């Protein structure tokens, strides 16, 4: 396991038990973001870096009982917290690295990723791996329940032009990874980028 992976597991593992209590107001934002993803009944969707599984109920509601919902996370404590919260009933939980997913090429219709991109050790390669498992024309949603400026303020840092999530940086990163950005929203109350898997 790389140093990046170890750091991610240590950081999130130590915070897993209190994660939902620390951000209790985020639930509706997740549901709203999922509603904008264009999922249909029967679709197969992955919550990449699912954490405590806060998106899983909304994803299950979007794809219905005939759909498939997977939640993958690198941190066992986060998956345990998702199970304790009862979210394992909304989707299958996988202890997996999104940089090397145990999934077939093109097996999914969409990927939802909340707060993930900032924690990817090799964003270009990792976004290519997400593209690998999505069918041509399938979707990607990069989400955070608050916008870039609010998140920077929460962490006590300045927002810089080098921020990977800034549109001029993210659009070419996605394009080089097999995705075409279709919408970009960076507002106080949310960050949501939608992209389509290039054919």
């Amino acid at each position: 396991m790389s140093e990046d992976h170890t750091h991610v597991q240590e950081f999130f593992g130590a915070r897993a038990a209190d994660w939902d209590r620390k951000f209790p107001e985020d639930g509706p934002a997740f549901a709203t973001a999922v509603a904008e993803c264009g999922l249909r009944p029967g679709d197969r969707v992955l919550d990449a870096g699912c954490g405590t599984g806060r998106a899983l109920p909304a994803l299950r509601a979007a794809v219905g009982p005939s759909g498939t919902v997977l939640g993958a996370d690198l941190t066992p404590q986060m998956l345990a917290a998702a199970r304790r919260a009862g979210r394992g009933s909304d989707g299958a939980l996988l202890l997996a690295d999104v940089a090397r997913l145990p999934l077939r090429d093109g097996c999914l219709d969409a990927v939802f990723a909340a707060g993930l991109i900032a924690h990817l050790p090799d964003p270009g390669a990792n976004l290519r791996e997400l593209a690998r498992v999505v069918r041509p024309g399938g979707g990607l949603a990069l989400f955070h329940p608050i916008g870039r400026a609010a998140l920077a303020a929460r962490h006590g840092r300045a927002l810089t032009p080098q921020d990977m999530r800034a549109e001029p940086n993210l659009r070419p990163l996605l394009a080089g990874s097999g995705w075409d950005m279709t919408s970009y929203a960076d507002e106080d109350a949310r960050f949501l980028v939608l992209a389509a898997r290039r054919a």
Side-chain angles (χ1 to χ4, degrees):
M1 193 160 59
S2 75
E3 186 175 328
D4 285 319
H5 291 113
T6 303
H7 172 73
V8 166
Q9 282 189 325
E10 288 174 354
F11 180 89
F12 287 104
R15 291 161 174 80
D18 294 321
W19 193 261
D20 286 356
R21 282 194 295 274
K22 190 172 179 185
F23 305 107
E25 308 301 321
D26 288 351
F30 275 81
T32 299
V34 168
E36 293 187 42
C37 292
L39 294 169
R40 295 170 297 194
D43 276 356
R44 299 154 300 173
V45 61
L46 168 69
D47 185 356
C50 67
T52 61
R54 291 180 294 173
L56 296 178
L59 292 170
R60 171 54 66 198
V63 303
S66 64
T68 299
V69 178
L70 305 173
D73 203 275
L74 189 63
T75 306
Q77 296 94 322
M78 281 290 193
L79 295 175
R83 288 187 188 94
R84 283 194 303 275
R87 295 174 186 139
S89 62
D90 293 306
L93 297 173
L94 309 173
L95 180 63
D97 180 358
V98 299
R100 288 185 303 279
L101 288 164
L103 300 171
R104 297 186 322 274
D105 293 0
C107 67
L108 300 174
D109 296 294
V111 170
F112 184 87
L116 177 71
I117 192 164
H119 300 286
L120 296 176
D122 185 346
N126 302 151
L127 288 167
R128 277 192 295 280
E129 173 65 357
L130 295 180
R132 180 187 68 77
V133 299
V134 173
R135 63 168 175 79
L140 171 68
L142 300 176
F143 169 70
H144 200 283
I146 59 175
R148 293 187 310 121
L151 185 62
R154 177 187 286 175
H155 292 285
R157 59 177 172 77
L159 198 56
T160 70
Q162 291 75 36
D163 185 341
M164 180 186 1
R165 290 163 290 192
E167 185 173 7
N169 302 329
L170 187 55
R171 187 179 291 276
L173 176 64
L174 286 166
S177 306
W179 300 98
D180 291 318
M181 185 187 292
T182 57
S183 70
Y184 181 94
D186 181 18
E187 303 154 0
D188 285 345
R190 68 162 185 171
F191 175 85
L192 180 63
V193 172
L194 300 179
R197 171 74 164 87
R198 195 174 301 131

